[in-house]
Amino acid sequence: MEHRRSFPDVLAGGIFVLIGGAFVVGSLGYELGTPLRMGPGAFPLLVGALVAALGLAIVVKGLVAGEMIAFGTIPWRAVAVITLALMFFGFTVRGLGFVPTSAVTALLTTLASKHVRPLTAVVVAAGLTVASTLIFVVGLQLRIPLWGPWLGF
C-alpha cells in the first residue's frame, strides 16, 4: 500500500500549528481566570489551542492520506490588496476611528477579487461595517472610538 504525502497540506498544517502555538504562548502572559469568570488570556488560549489542533490534524492528513493538488497561478493582486488592507486597518484605526477604517478595509478586501462589481463591493463593505460595529463596539464593548480625531469628531 502506497502512502502519498501532500506537501501543501503538511506546510499549511505546520503554519497553523505555529500560529496557534504563538497565540497559546502569548496568552500565558495574561490572566486566564476561571471557567466561570474568564480572564483576558482565556480566549486567545482557547483559540490558539484549537488552531494548533486543527493544524496538527491537517499535518497528519497530509502525511497519511495526502492528495497531490497542482497549484494554479498565485493571485498576487488579492494577496497585495488584502495585505495592504490589513496594514491600513492597523495603522489608522486609532486615528480615523472604527467605522471609517472598517469600511475602507472591507471595501479593499472585497475589491481584491476581479469578479466583484463595484456596487456589490460597496454593499458588502457597508454590511460588514455595520455588523462589525454591532459585534465589536456595541456587543463586546471594545473601547475603540467610532470616529477618530483625524476626522475632527
Side-chain angles (χ1 to χ4, degrees):
M1 183 168 121
E2 178 184 342
H3 287 282
R4 297 185 338 183
R5 291 179 173 82
S6 172
F7 179 71
D9 282 348
V10 173
L11 181 64
I15 291 171
F16 273 74
V17 170
L18 287 175
I19 292 172
F23 271 87
V24 168
V25 170
S27 71
L28 296 177
Y30 297 101
E31 181 184 341
L32 296 177
T34 65
L36 294 178
R37 189 139 171 90
M38 292 185 184
F43 186 72
L45 176 74
L46 292 173
V47 171
L50 287 172
V51 168
L54 177 65
L56 189 60
I58 293 171
V59 167
V60 170
K61 181 209 171 273
L63 291 174
V64 174
E67 300 173 16
M68 296 307 295
I69 300 172
F71 282 114
T73 59
I74 297 173
W76 290 111
R77 172 187 164 170
V79 170
V81 170
I82 290 172
T83 302
L84 176 71
L86 291 173
M87 289 175 57
F88 173 81
F89 186 87
F91 287 124
T92 62
V93 70
R94 292 184 192 269
L96 287 176
F98 188 77
V99 172
T101 306
S102 295
V104 171
T105 302
L107 185 64
L108 283 173
T109 55
T110 305
L111 290 174
S113 172
K114 297 176 188 176
H115 307 292
V116 176
R117 296 182 188 153
L119 180 61
T120 305
V122 169
V123 170
V124 168
L128 286 173
T129 301
V130 169
S132 61
T133 302
L134 290 174
I135 291 169
F136 293 108
V137 177
V138 176
L140 295 175
Q141 297 178 352
L142 291 181
R143 294 181 183 182
I144 299 174
L146 293 177
W147 305 98
W150 293 354
L151 299 175
F153 294 118

